[in-house]
Amino acid sequence: MGKIMTHTLTQPVITVEMKEEILDNAPRKQVGILGGTFNPPHLGHLIMAEQVGTQLGLDQVLFMPDSTPPHVDKKHPIAAKDRVAMVERAIMGNPLFGIELCEVKRGGISYTFDTMKYLKQQHPDTDYYFIIGGDMVAYLPKWHKIDELVKLVHFVGVKRRGYTPHSAYPVTWVDAPLIDISSTEIRRKLKQGCSVRYLVPEAVLDYIEEAKLYRD
């Protein structure tokens, strides 16, 4: 039998320069981020994410539960593991939706600037669209490092009745059905023993009942 020749590659098949060129020429991913406490997640969150994702043609919309909101929060959110579990149940079955856990894993105060800087470093091939309600747009000047943040993300404002679609910062405005549901109202109803069916997905309601949440 002839001698079998073997060769050892001394150079990578794809050089660093070639890899950078491939990444530069590859189509960039378009991903929406819907952050919040999700205490609990409700149908309003899902409708907002669906409308933004489909109207802007995004590849995905990620629900991002926070660890500790940076503002003074009187909501007394339940444990992150329960909020994550409810979000996972809420988005189940919709291929457009996903979940991003970097803030929960990092812990501490969740500043959007720190989060988006981290995500951009981890996914340099992705353009991010940060989704906020029309009522929150007016607060953008008070956001932590907002002038640097707007260089990292595209802000998307979901129009709401009574709020002018205007901002000193670049915001893409999206129309969505006006669904007046709030997590605060849902928690109040649950505490009073009232029904919240049709305000939250059935799978979320099942989890709330199984885990006996919002009873106190």
Side-chain angles (χ1 to χ4, degrees):
M1 294 180 64
K3 185 177 180 180
I4 298 177
M5 302 296 293
T6 60
H7 299 274
T8 301
L9 291 173
T10 58
Q11 295 292 332
V13 176
I14 300 179
T15 65
V16 173
E17 291 77 12
M18 293 171 63
K19 184 176 181 180
E20 290 177 350
E21 183 177 352
I22 291 172
L23 289 174
D24 288 341
N25 294 329
R28 298 181 61 78
K29 296 178 183 177
Q30 309 296 305
V31 175
I33 296 284
L34 181 61
T37 307
F38 300 114
N39 186 31
H42 53 68
L43 294 183
H45 294 132
L46 300 179
I47 291 170
M48 182 185 296
E50 174 74 12
Q51 290 299 312
V52 171
T54 54
Q55 289 186 41
L56 298 186
L58 302 181
D59 297 306
Q60 194 174 32
V61 177
L62 300 178
F63 287 66
M64 185 171 68
D66 57 33
S67 175
T68 304
H71 50 276
V72 177
D73 189 14
K74 299 180 180 179
K75 300 175 184 177
H76 302 294
I78 59 176
K81 67 178 182 63
D82 289 316
R83 293 185 286 115
V84 168
M86 287 190 289
V87 169
E88 289 175 338
R89 292 198 179 195
I91 67 177
M92 192 180 302
N94 189 332
L96 176 64
F97 294 162
I99 189 167
E100 172 55 61
L101 298 177
C102 67
E103 289 195 342
V104 169
K105 292 179 178 178
R106 185 175 67 227
I109 293 178
S110 301
Y111 286 113
T112 302
F113 172 78
D114 296 332
T115 298
M116 298 315 304
K117 183 178 179 181
Y118 167 80
L119 289 177
K120 292 288 286 185
Q121 290 172 344
Q122 296 297 308
H123 307 284
D125 62 337
T126 300
D127 294 327
Y128 286 101
Y129 296 76
F130 202 88
I131 305 165
I132 56 177
D135 55 325
M136 291 298 297
V137 173
Y139 293 96
L140 284 179
K142 299 181 180 180
W143 283 38
H144 180 63
K145 295 187 176 181
I146 182 61
D147 292 326
E148 297 176 56
L149 178 58
V150 294
K151 299 175 183 178
L152 298 177
V153 300
H154 305 279
F155 274 101
V156 179
V158 179
K159 294 180 182 178
R160 292 189 63 177
R161 184 182 291 115
Y163 293 92
T164 303
H166 172 76
S167 175
Y169 295 96
V171 175
T172 299
W173 292 94
V174 169
D175 289 302
L178 299 174
I179 307 297
D180 189 15
I181 303 175
S182 75
S183 295
T184 300
E185 180 67 12
I186 291 171
R187 293 195 305 274
R188 185 186 65 80
K189 285 182 174 295
L190 287 166
K191 188 174 182 178
Q192 295 176 347
C194 299
S195 172
V196 296
R197 178 165 288 174
Y198 308 123
L199 299 180
V200 300
E202 284 291 329
V204 172
L205 181 56
D206 289 343
Y207 185 90
I208 290 172
E209 293 177 347
E210 292 166 10
K212 297 180 174 56
L213 303 177
Y214 308 116
R215 297 289 181 88
D216 300 326

